[in-house]
Amino acid sequence: MDTDVLIIGSGIASLQLAKKLSTEFNVIILTKSKAELSNSYLAQGGIAASLGDSDDYRKHALDTLEAGRFHNNPEVVAEITKTAPRLIEELWQDGCTFDKDSTGKLSLGMEGAHSEKRIVHSGGDTTGKKVMEFLTENKNNNIELIENVFVYELMVNTNSNQCFGAKGITADGTRIEFYSAHTVIATGGCGTLYTYTSSASTITGDGIALAYLAGASIIDMEFVQFHPTLLYVNGETVGLISEAVRGDGARLVTASGKYIMENVHSYEDLAPRHIVSQTIYQYLSNGETVYLDISMITNFQTRFPSITKMCIEHGIDLQKGLLPVAPGSHFLMGGIDTDLFGRTSVNNLYAIGEAACTGFHGANRLASNSLLEGLYMGNNLANLLREIPKSKVKGFILEREESDNTLHPIFPEKEELQHRMMANVGIVRNEINLQNQLQWLERFGISDCFNLPLENRSIEEVEKYFMLVTSWLITRSALERKESRGGHFRSDYPEENDEWLKKKVSFKRELTKEKPNESIEIAQTIGSVLY
């Protein structure tokens, strides 16, 4: 199949891009399952924008830098926060509904690490669902959304370093090649690499693995955000409890009523997520259950309808006012290295949304900045593609390196990989556990598998393979960064180290007809060290 723009993934960044492209473009959106099985659709939090009378984009930018522990790109932060109010206004004017106050203005909520009320919601805690439904219902006829297609390979001409499409497999095993002038990865992050996660089951790091195997640069993979408050029932996390609940006054307590965030951070329960997650983790590690005390929120069931439904479904008595919580993987700050237009190091290959790393989030994401980034990047890439003269897809012949057909690795079960990632590369890390995890991953011949032929592999096998590749990237990155910063906490290097400030751990495969060369680079403001 031929198209002008091929988008892999169906979250908010994907649909915003498709909506903003003119009808002159033929657009195909591929999603590995149902369109609503995305983190964007599940997002309970809102969209951050400096719309209040006392607010300003500079304040929003400073909060973003503080939450990101100043690992962010300041120019990127300024640009996105400055544009945020306009993006909200455009959606509102186009007919997307947002919650309003008694005067008819947009209602602005407070969330963790924000210095002002600036969170815009739709339907209380169903913002992601409402915005996604609006974008889906208003897509133009030039856009074809195809569900249940698992993309297993990007087609890249190694001579020109140019991507010209992707190969996919349907649920019944049919293989399809999609040829495109522009290929966009919008597959989300990699939350389900971990046992405890708020992510949709489909979020397994596919896009990042695809890009890495195609020769794109991958950066900052050690920075994984763990959301502090997932509902914790019978030893499992079963869904997200939005930060907005703590924004409305809920407090973290033990069974005995001890308030756990007192004297930990000046923002207490609304401290940056890595601090709250690490505090809860310490109590859980000592065998103490942690609860979110919601007794002071008088209108909880109307304010948070989806959380209420989730609690009732799992037998939680809301009248007691105590919700058992545990932290789980929530957002990846790293990913495919891109500029603010989504351009990667491979020509005609782009990445937007959580799969991309623009430098906006730094070492830890500020609450409700993810939907904002998706809207911004979708809009910005659309602006770029409209300026590029349209061209037909060139009939490249895929010149992939020689595949090793003697390789027949048996991959581990997902549950084992998730358990090991949670234990060794989770909220608290150290060199011994990271080395153990790396050795375990490399038992499966991970380096040799980078040249693994995928044509005859099942969807389940390819997904496991992508999970291994992405887990390997996170583990290697976490070993390299010998400090604690944001979402990356190492108990053997528990402090921030200014020598690591602004340094980025970067991975890139050089695709050649010989065996591809894997390299890792610690990129600095001036100079670099190549490993």
Side-chain angles (χ1 to χ4, degrees), residues 259-285:
Y259 176 40
I260 72 171
M261 292 306 297
E262 190 174 18
N263 300 321
V264 173
H265 189 278
S266 60
Y267 283 4
E268 298 185 336
D269 292 281
L270 294 177
R273 286 177 174 174
H274 65 286
I275 293 174
V276 183
S277 291
Q278 287 162 17
T279 304
I280 297 173
Y281 177 82
Q282 289 170 2
Y283 279 87
L284 295 177
S285 298

Side-chain angles (χ1 to χ4, degrees), residues 29-59:
I29 300 174
L30 303 178
T31 184
K32 69 189 283 188
S33 182
K34 297 294 183 182
E36 60 267 23
L37 279 178
S38 71
N39 281 354
S40 297
Y41 197 90
L42 294 175
Q44 294 175 355
I47 307 170
S50 54
L51 293 162
D53 293 339
S54 62
D55 204 0
D56 180 87
Y57 85 89
R58 297 173 186 83
K59 291 183 180 180

Side-chain angles (χ1 to χ4, degrees), residues 148-195:
N148 298 306
V149 176
F150 185 96
V151 173
Y152 65 91
E153 184 179 349
L154 298 175
M155 296 189 287
V156 177
N157 182 293
T158 55
N159 292 329
S160 61
N161 187 38
Q162 185 168 344
C163 182
F164 57 95
K167 296 181 180 181
I169 179 172
T170 63
D172 64 3
T174 303
R175 308 270 167 165
I176 308 174
E177 293 184 353
F178 298 89
Y179 294 90
S180 59
H182 305 283
T183 302
V184 184
I185 295 175
T187 53
C190 54
T192 53
L193 295 184
Y194 293 89
T195 305

Side-chain angles (χ1 to χ4, degrees), residues 477-523:
S477 297
L479 264 170
E480 289 296 329
R481 182 171 290 278
K482 294 176 174 60
E483 69 155 352
S484 291
R485 187 176 298 275
H488 171 68
F489 181 78
R490 285 189 55 164
S491 58
D492 48 351
Y493 296 95
E495 304 295 332
E496 290 183 352
N497 184 341
D498 287 346
E499 291 182 4
W500 279 93
L501 188 62
K502 302 294 186 183
K503 289 184 180 178
K504 296 180 180 293
V505 182
S506 174
F507 292 85
K508 189 175 187 300
R509 295 179 80 219
E510 299 297 336
L511 299 186
T512 64
K513 291 184 178 179
E514 291 74 34
K515 184 177 180 179
N517 175 45
E518 280 81 43
S519 66
I520 175 172
E521 183 179 7
I522 310 299

Side-chain angles (χ1 to χ4, degrees), residues 2 25 31 63 79 81 113-114 221 308 311 384 417 513 529:
D2 288 6
F25 288 87
T31 184
D63 290 345
E79 171 61 23
T81 55
H114 286 271
M221 290 296 290
T308 296
C311 289
L384 173 71
L417 174 62
K513 291 184 178 179
V529 181

Side-chain angles (χ1 to χ4, degrees), residues 302-338:
T302 55
R303 176 76 174 87
F304 302 105
S306 66
I307 298 174
T308 296
K309 180 182 178 183
M310 176 177 65
C311 289
I312 293 172
E313 287 174 349
H314 289 91
I316 303 298
D317 184 358
L318 291 173
Q319 296 303 314
K320 293 182 178 179
L322 295 174
L323 312 183
V325 295
S329 65
H330 185 55
F331 193 86
L332 175 69
M333 280 70 73
I336 305 163
D337 190 7
T338 75

Side-chain angles (χ1 to χ4, degrees), residues 425-488:
V425 202
I427 299 169
V428 177
R429 305 162 175 176
N430 60 59
E431 184 159 4
I432 293 174
N433 288 346
L434 291 170
Q435 288 285 5
N436 287 340
Q437 179 70 2
L438 184 62
Q439 290 171 12
W440 181 80
L441 290 167
E442 293 183 343
R443 275 174 42 194
F444 301 97
I446 191 74
S447 296
D448 292 332
C449 287
F450 290 153
N451 203 26
L452 182 71
L454 300 176
E455 294 295 341
N456 298 315
R457 296 273 174 170
S458 68
I459 291 176
E460 183 181 14
E461 286 180 302
V462 178
E463 188 175 67
K464 288 180 182 178
Y465 169 54
F466 286 167
M467 291 175 75
L468 277 172
V469 171
T470 307
S471 296
W472 181 83
L473 290 167
I474 294 172
T475 306
R476 286 288 307 276
S477 297
L479 264 170
E480 289 296 329
R481 182 171 290 278
K482 294 176 174 60
E483 69 155 352
S484 291
R485 187 176 298 275
H488 171 68

